Amino acid sequence: MPARTGAEYLAGLEDGREVWFEGSRVDCVAEHPILGRMARTLAGLYDLQRDPAHQDELTYPSPSTGQPVGLSFLQTRSVEDLERRRRAFTVWADYSGGILGRTPDYLNAILAGCASSSWFFAQNGPEYPGRIVSYYEWCREHDLCATHAFVDPQSNRARTQTEQADPGVPLHIAGESGQGLVVSGARMLATLAPYSDELMVFPSPSRTHSTDAPRYAFAFSIPVATPGLRFICRESFDLGRSNFDHPLASRFEEMDAVAIFDEVVVPWERVFLKGDVLLCNRLFRETPAFMHGIHQFTAKNLAKAELLLGVTSLVAEAIGRTDLPAYQSLLGEMVDAIETLRAYLRTAEVDAVTDPNGYFHPNPDTMSTARNFFPRVYPRLVEILQLVGSSGLMATPTERDLERGELAEDIDRYYQSATLMGRDRVQLFRLAWDLACSSFAGRQVLYERFFAGDPQTLLAGRFASYDRAALVERVRALLGRG
Ligand SMILES: Cc1cc2nc3c(=O)[nH]c(=O)nc-3n(C[C@H](O)[C@H](O)[C@H](O)COP(=O)(O)OP(=O)(O)OC[C@H]3O[C@@H](n4cnc5c(N)ncnc54)[C@H](O)[C@@H]3O)c2cc1C
């Protein structure tokens, strides 16, 4: 099957999945008055793959059938492959100005990385490498959209899984049957869950679990519509308002949900690791699979930083502040963030590492630094937009106000700016508000702080694993103690 169209993607959502939203079970995600809007946004992304203007840059011939499949599934074998795949990431990232954190290309790239690292899975048993490769090929050939749930519920982080007051809360192996592994418990959090076809339940790239807990150690993947699996969504930040009023939340509300498993049977061919805590802890440290995901979201982060600079520049121009050195230096900080992200991408590609099987992987040092950079810089970019926009971010009447004839004159006159008439200024500032002040904007900041893992642990891990021997020797020599 070639890369899917939007209509094919939407049809796939009608599979009886158990999604709960605001106290009701959702009949059909694609037709839900609130959730359906994001489903249509994702359908638009899929349509780009079959759009003659983009098909060549978003697809490549399937190694199995020759039909065009999503380029994010490519197993990269050269620097040119990495560059080409990044251009595809960028097309999808630009579709939302980087606001969609979890476009399907993110997990497609990680899954391709897992398949290229099938040797790792062989350490758990001879049946495992074939399973991960077959699963990768299945997703590629059916162009499936996946989410992941890597983290246990935040019950008591001071305790291990086995020490929890209720050790049945973290997702665990509850039994085995001829059909597969039986799992119960919960995982948080799965962004995009209502819109995904598949749920990948893998070990967290940023957590280390104690070795006494083999029943919590596994990697598997199941369809979102598996019996016994249910998702409880948080409240939506899409309030059903117009694109004018909520320019981002009305289109790009990708939703987060807790995944609850009630004796869910995972077919054996979908179990990729089982019962080996050390292997699970090492999966994303010893394989380059997650680096492919960072490659995707660094391209997304670049698009997002560019959106912020674009909006902040227009806001600064609108209020006549672009000549002030203080404003210029704030905007200059944004430029530096953009160019740093661009440099990370470039370096990761040019300095790619190769493996004995001929695969090329984005440079892990550069990608790890890129991953730790954005959680710190994104809140600052948002803060700069708040500093530049200031009270203008609250002078944001709604579309209904603009439609009231008796307010038209007021809005034209009192909302005018140096560069824009009232209506256009309101439209721009509503976008700035949805980027920097709305509840949707708050979730974006939280997402960037945490979605790629716990930032404290990640930074500490950088220090612990970084090869400092040579530089420490140089300092010792400088001190005359070499
Ligand atoms: C919007 C959003 C979407 C997400 N989507 C997904 C998803 O789709 N799939 C998925 O698997 N996960 C997802 N996550 C979860 C993400 O992986 C976790 O948030 C992340 O791993 C951190 O874990 P935690 O939130 O449980 O924080 P905790 O581990 O409970 O940590 C809480 C706080 O303590 C700090 N901390 C931890 N250890 C220390 C220490 N030793 N010293 C000092 N401070 C410390 C942490 O940095 C953090 O600030 C999402 C998170 C968010 C916010």
Side-chain angles (χ1 to χ4, degrees):
M1 177 178 174
R4 286 190 295 180
T5 61
E8 287 163 345
Y9 159 72
L10 289 174
L13 295 176
E14 290 187 48
D15 54 7
R17 62 190 56 204
E18 188 174 344
V19 174
W20 289 84
F21 176 70
E22 298 219 348
S24 300
R25 183 165 173 182
V26 177
D27 272 344
C28 175
V29 170
E31 284 165 23
H32 188 274
I34 295 295
L35 300 179
R37 303 217 287 185
M38 172 62 192
R40 288 189 285 284
T41 295
L42 273 176
L45 270 184
Y46 278 100
D47 276 335
L48 289 181
Q49 298 188 123
R50 299 275 285 273
D51 176 343
H54 294 290
Q55 181 165 334
D56 283 351
E57 54 191 342
L58 290 176
T59 62
Y60 72 111
S62 158
S64 321
T65 68
Q67 292 194 308
V69 291
L71 193 72
S72 48
F73 286 108
L74 184 71
Q75 291 181 285
T76 44
R77 288 187 172 276
S78 63
V79 170
E80 291 71 32
D81 276 354
L82 288 166
E83 292 170 341
R84 183 177 168 210
R85 187 181 66 173
R86 185 242 311 145
R87 285 194 290 276
F89 291 154
T90 302
V91 172
W92 269 15
D94 284 341
Y95 178 80
S96 69
I99 293 298
L100 287 178
R102 203 53 75 69
T103 47
D105 48 351
Y106 163 68
L107 273 170
N108 296 350
I110 292 178
L111 185 54
C114 285
S116 306
S117 306
S118 59
W119 54 267
F120 182 89
F121 297 83
Q123 297 173 73
N124 209 169
E127 65 276 37
Y128 292 98
R131 290 181 187 172
I132 190 77
V133 172
S134 299
Y135 178 64
Y136 154 71
E137 290 172 352
W138 170 263
C139 291
R140 183 188 70 202
E141 296 306 316
H142 293 82
D143 201 11
L144 298 179
C145 170
T147 181
H148 63 53
F150 286 170
V151 182
D152 294 326
Q154 201 183 34
S155 307
N156 185 343
R157 289 279 189 255
R159 295 187 177 178
T160 66
Q161 292 153 321
T162 48
E163 294 166 354
Q164 294 294 321
D166 179 353
V169 168
L171 186 63
H172 58 276
I173 299 172
E176 296 187 8
S177 75
Q179 291 166 303
L181 195 65
V182 183
V183 293
S184 287
R187 279 273 168 114
M188 64 180 279
L189 206 51
T191 300
L192 207 74
Y195 306 103
S196 301
D197 305 303
E198 291 283 315
L199 173 66
M200 289 173 60
V201 179
F202 276 50
S204 164
S206 66
R207 277 168 205 273
T208 305
H209 288 296
S210 56
T211 49
D212 68 336
R215 74 178 186 129
Y216 299 94
F218 36 72
F220 66 79
S221 202
I222 45 173
V224 159
T226 299
L229 174 60
R230 57 184 175 274
F231 295 94
I232 304 178
C233 299
R234 61 162 166 74
E235 183 181 0
S236 180
F237 302 126
D238 177 1
L239 304 182
R241 304 283 286 275
S242 69
N243 289 350
F244 184 96
D245 282 350
H246 293 179
L248 302 177
S250 64
R251 287 180 283 179
F252 307 127
E253 162 55 306
E254 56 194 352
M255 187 49 76
D256 309 289
V258 170
I260 298 175
F261 301 71
D262 199 354
E263 300 205 350
V264 168
V265 178
V266 181
W268 286 117
E269 67 271 18
R270 295 296 198 90
V271 178
F272 311 125
L273 291 175
K274 179 175 80 78
D276 190 327
V277 183
L278 289 178
L279 263 189
C280 285
N281 286 342
R282 285 161 42 207
L283 171 63
F284 288 122
R285 285 171 201 150
E286 291 185 11
T287 74
F290 200 71
M291 298 301 143
H292 292 276
I294 304 180
H295 193 220
Q296 183 277 341
F297 68 68
T298 305
K300 179 275 289 178
N301 293 347
L302 175 57
K304 198 167 190 173
E306 287 176 338
L307 174 74
L308 267 140
L309 176 61
V311 171
T312 312
S313 305
L314 288 173
V315 166
E317 279 171 21
I319 56 176
R321 294 279 210 212
T322 42
D323 290 340
L324 274 183
Y327 274 65
Q328 289 173 348
S329 71
L330 288 172
L331 288 156
E333 262 188 67
M334 293 179 133
V335 172
D336 275 356
I338 288 171
E339 290 309 316
T340 304
L341 289 163
R342 204 188 310 284
Y344 286 147
L345 283 169
R346 195 77 200 109
T347 308
E349 292 158 8
V350 175
D351 291 346
V353 296
T354 56
D355 68 24
N357 299 315
Y359 294 114
F360 275 57
H361 309 288
N363 185 282
D365 251 322
T366 313
M367 289 287 78
S368 301
T369 301
R371 173 205 213 170
N372 289 339
F373 174 71
F374 207 61
R376 282 174 286 145
V377 87
Y378 186 70
R380 175 64 179 157
L381 298 181
V382 170
E383 182 184 28
I384 291 173
L385 177 53
Q386 289 176 346
L387 293 172
V388 170
S390 54
S391 65
L393 297 167
M394 296 293 110
T396 43
T398 66
E399 194 169 29
R400 280 202 196 137
D401 293 310
L402 292 163
E403 283 162 1
R404 291 297 298 227
E406 58 267 55
L407 295 181
E409 207 178 305
D410 279 350
I411 288 173
D412 266 348
R413 184 170 181 201
Y414 297 114
Y415 288 75
Q416 66 176 290
S417 73
T419 55
L420 299 169
M421 290 309 292
R423 184 186 169 89
D424 292 342
R425 180 217 165 108
V426 171
Q427 187 181 24
L428 170 66
F429 276 70
R430 287 207 70 89
L431 174 60
W433 163 84
D434 218 5
L435 204 45
C437 303
S438 65
S439 52
F440 179 84
R443 185 262 174 196
Q444 289 283 319
V445 171
L446 196 73
Y447 181 84
E448 297 303 352
R449 284 189 198 278
F450 287 111
F451 93 94
D454 162 17
Q456 299 288 342
T457 310
L458 288 170
L459 271 175
R462 280 300 274 146
F463 171 71
S465 64
Y466 195 71
D467 184 359
R468 287 165 284 125
L471 68 90
V472 166
E473 270 321 301
R474 280 207 304 278
V475 176
R476 286 206 179 105
L478 206 64
L479 293 169
R481 294 179 199 151

